[in-house]
Amino acid sequence: MKHNFGAGPCILPQEVFKQAAQAVLDFNDGLSILEISHRTTEFEAVVAEAEKLVKELLNVPSGYSVLFLQGGASLQFAMAPMNLLGEGQTASYLDTGVWASKAIKEAKVIGNVNVVASSKEANYTYIPKTYDIPADSAYFHFTSNNTIYGTEFFDFPETGVPIVCDMSSDIMSRSFDVSKFALIYAGAQKNIGPAGLTVVIVKDDILGKTDRKIPSMLDYKQHIANGSMYNTPPVFSIYVALLNLRWLRSKGGVAEIEKENIAKAKALYAEIDRNPLFKGTCAVEDRSRMNITFVMENPDHEKPFLKLAEEHGIIGIKGHRSVGGFRASMYNALSITSVHALVEVMQIFAEKNS
Ligand SMILES: *Cc1c(COP(=O)(O)O)cnc(C)c1O
């Protein structure tokens, strides 16, 4: 058995893989999901159910639209300011990591950006807590979970301005109040489904307020008006996301999976803190439940530990090159059994090397 701790694309439930494989062979009346038209009633039903499930699982209030787009979270870095940042206006951004700084870079192409705080000087090992957001900001943007560094927001900031959030790596992992946000976006490949799909949740009444000319494919209003089918959508990715959302609902939904995610994170952090060979890299109060980063006290131990982990079926734990060490990504589909397997390897390694 493999324990897949990869950061993304990442683990999905085995039953989702089986159902997806089946649909490649026969989705509907002998036709493959890969060959049907996106304009068929069967596929329209897929999109409608996927949208309904996103709304149900996240308790999305009325007045919001759910979109299935392409281009990844990275395209949203530009699309969000293009739709929300008027000429002469300024948007406020919080810089908490590589993804946040890429969002800032793209927004600067579109308009004025005010970076309210950054933890870059500490290699993004914590989330800044005190900063001022000018009341005339078009919006405030932050990244709810910093996939590379392993920090996560637990108290969302009160801002007084519309909030835009990149939730790529912790959406569907915990309950939160959607009504606090104007725009939420997430690349699907971390907790929603396979790569090739971006989920956007947008408050309808924040759109259409700038005079900016927006190309159709980059205009949320066009996608809303066309039910995410302005052009050919990523049919297979949406279908597999639907299968995964059904799986999540069958597990009891986001509140239930959140309990599991808390237990999983607790188990691994407890070992990182207990085991004298390992140490966490982030401020304790900001420790992510999705991406757990740690290093070894003795860097010479890292290669042999990685090798031992691989021998035990543990894959995907090598840290991002900008942090080093290790990163265990523990998305919804990763079972606590896999976390226990990692903890056990850490203990075996410590016994052999201390
Ligand atoms: C993975 C990730 C991205 C990049 O997503 P793409 O879909 O590859 O563009 C952006 N933000 C966060 C927080 C991520 O984890």
Side-chain angles (χ1 to χ4, degrees), residues 169-195:
S169 52
D170 68 346
I171 195 164
M172 298 292 168
S173 75
R174 56 169 168 166
S175 319
F176 67 95
D177 184 356
V178 173
S179 74
K180 295 218 155 105
F181 295 85
L183 174 72
I184 293 164
Y185 60 87
Q189 68 275 16
K190 283 145 191 164
N191 235 347
I192 298 174

Side-chain angles (χ1 to χ4, degrees), residues 80-89 137-139 161-162 182 203-214 219-221:
M82 213 174 259
N83 282 262
L84 304 179
L85 185 55
E87 309 278 353
Q89 284 188 310
S137 305
Y139 60 84
V161 304
K203 194 172 186 194
D204 300 321
D205 69 12
I206 61 155
L207 299 175
K209 291 189 176 164
T210 75
D211 313 326
R212 197 183 295 287
K213 285 212 168 65
I214 307 172
D219 185 348
Y220 294 122
K221 282 175 88 97

